[in-house]
């Protein structure tokens, strides 16, 4: 039987110098494919607000939406660790709110949760409650309005602040930290200072692992992004298949006897 990936096993991977692979997924079919491809962890990201719902930000994502998509992913993946994002407004008001929200995501099928920003006290309480917790620093999309847009973080003097935040999250018990949109040399420096793994997105090759958003990776997002490599143009494949279906149905060449009873 294949051994399931856990939060502690990701920390061990860093100690062994093995790169860690995360991908986002939001439904059962995607989770199945990600598991078959051998990813270590699936992030049910609140990026679903962008790529599934079509909102310009992640701020409208609710805990109920996260629970729903975590359940979908759990039903498709058995080996990878499933990390569920705590959405905006589910942990910022108090430590108690964060722990309650964490319980909900774990009951939905997550094996760990992730939260954005400088909340070491919430991380500490979640870990005490038995919930493996991941941090997320650099550009944190839930704070897009505070940053004034989608901007690289930690340039110049801002770098020291990011290092301090990473150390605070590690000290609080986080098992890993996402580094999003930050200069590669800063991400490398943070990765070298921490004993827990860093997972980069737009943070260069010096991180202990990488995470990519499903739609960016597979060419399903109409807008190419600098931090993403499009490994396939699945959007074009789907469009071509649908176009052929439309044409054949209109011409009466589908269905044939093969599809009939
Ligand atoms: O929500 C998400 O997909 C994320 C990744 C971009 C790290 O948080």
């Amino acid at each position: 039987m294949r051994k399931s990936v856990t939060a502690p096993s990701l920390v061990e991977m860093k100690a062994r110098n093995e790169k860690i692979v995360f991908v986002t997924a939001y439904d059962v079919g995607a989770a199945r494919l990600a598991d078959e491809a051998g990813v270590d962890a699936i992030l049910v990201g609140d990026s679903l607000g962008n790529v599934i719902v079509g909102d310009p930000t992640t701020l409208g994502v609710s805990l109920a939406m996260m629970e729903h998509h975590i359940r979908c992913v759990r039903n498709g993946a058995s080996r990878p660790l499933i990390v569920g994002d705590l959405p905006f407004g589910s942990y910022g008001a108090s430590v108690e709110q964060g722990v309650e929200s964490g319980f909900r995501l774990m009951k939905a099928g997550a094996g760990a949760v992730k939260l954005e920003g400088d909340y070491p006290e919430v991380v500490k309480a979640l870990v005490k409650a038995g919930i493996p917790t991941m941090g997320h620093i650099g550009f944190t999309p839930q704070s897009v309005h505070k940053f004034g847009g989608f901007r690289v973080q930690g340039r110049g003097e801002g770098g020291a602040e990011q290092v301090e935040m990473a150390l605070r999250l590690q000290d609080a018990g986080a098992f890993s930290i996402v580094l999003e949109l930050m200069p590669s040399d800063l991400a490398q420096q943070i990765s070298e200072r921490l004993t827990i793994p860093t997972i980069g997105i737009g943070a260069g090759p010096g991180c202990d692992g990488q995470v990519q958003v499903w739609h960016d990776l597979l060419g399903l997002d109409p807008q190419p992004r600098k931090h993403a490599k499009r490994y396939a143009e699945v959007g074009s494949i789907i469009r071509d298949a649908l176009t052929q279906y439309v044409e054949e149905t209109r011409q009466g060449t589908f269905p044939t006897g093969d599809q009939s009873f």
Side-chain angles (χ1 to χ4, degrees):
M1 210 177 105
R2 298 180 317 156
K3 223 170 143 221
S4 295
V5 180
T6 62
S9 63
L10 293 184
V11 181
E12 287 161 16
M13 283 178 76
K14 169 161 178 152
R16 290 196 300 268
N17 225 1
E18 284 173 35
K19 290 280 187 190
I20 299 168
V21 186
F22 272 64
V23 69
T24 72
Y26 317 95
D27 63 62
V28 63
R32 223 173 261 139
L33 292 170
D35 191 349
E36 285 166 13
V39 303
D40 300 303
I42 297 179
L43 173 64
V44 186
D46 63 353
S47 50
L48 70 86
N50 307 121
V51 297
I52 303 292
V53 180
D55 283 347
T57 72
T58 57
L59 303 191
V61 176
S62 66
L63 264 176
M65 289 160 79
M66 291 307 307
E67 287 173 304
H68 172 79
H69 286 277
I70 287 168
R71 190 160 295 124
C72 298
V73 166
R74 178 204 58 191
N75 290 339
S78 55
R79 182 186 167 273
L81 175 67
I82 298 173
V83 181
D85 257 345
L86 285 167
F88 180 68
S90 73
Y91 58 93
S94 67
V95 167
E96 292 72 25
Q97 185 200 28
V99 175
E100 287 297 328
S101 303
F103 285 144
R104 280 181 59 175
L105 298 194
M106 297 298 280
K107 282 175 194 285
V113 303
K114 173 168 82 59
L115 56 77
E116 296 185 5
D118 199 8
Y119 288 93
E121 66 294 345
V122 182
V123 171
K124 204 169 176 178
L126 283 161
V127 173
K128 185 158 180 260
I131 303 174
T133 306
M134 194 170 180
H136 182 161
I137 62 174
F139 175 73
T140 45
Q142 293 173 16
S143 300
V144 62
H145 296 306
K146 185 180 89 178
F147 295 139
F150 293 81
R151 307 231 161 88
V152 172
Q153 299 297 308
R155 283 202 166 116
E157 290 180 0
E161 199 185 315
Q162 297 290 331
V163 175
E164 292 305 317
M165 215 189 308
L167 290 170
R168 274 196 292 280
L169 292 167
Q170 172 172 270
D171 289 348
F175 73 88
S176 176
I177 304 181
V178 167
L179 308 181
E180 180 166 354
L181 298 192
M182 69 165 59
S184 301
D185 54 351
L186 174 61
Q188 177 154 0
Q189 191 192 327
I190 293 173
S191 305
E192 285 167 1
R193 288 282 298 273
L194 299 183
T195 54
I196 58 170
T198 59
I199 306 297
I201 174 164
C207 299
D208 301 303
Q210 298 292 324
V211 58
Q212 287 283 288
V213 171
W214 184 266
H215 293 62
D216 295 342
L217 193 73
L218 296 173
L220 289 164
D221 188 336
Q223 191 189 338
R225 297 175 195 277
K226 179 167 164 54
H227 63 261
K229 177 171 171 184
R230 290 164 81 104
Y231 281 84
E233 291 298 334
V234 176
S236 307
I237 295 171
I238 294 173
R239 195 180 310 107
D240 290 351
L242 289 171
T243 304
Q244 199 180 338
Y245 165 60
V246 168
E247 280 170 8
E248 290 187 5
T249 301
R250 291 204 175 124
Q251 288 162 0
T253 54
F254 172 84
T256 65
D258 287 348
Q259 292 91 29
S260 304
F261 300 93

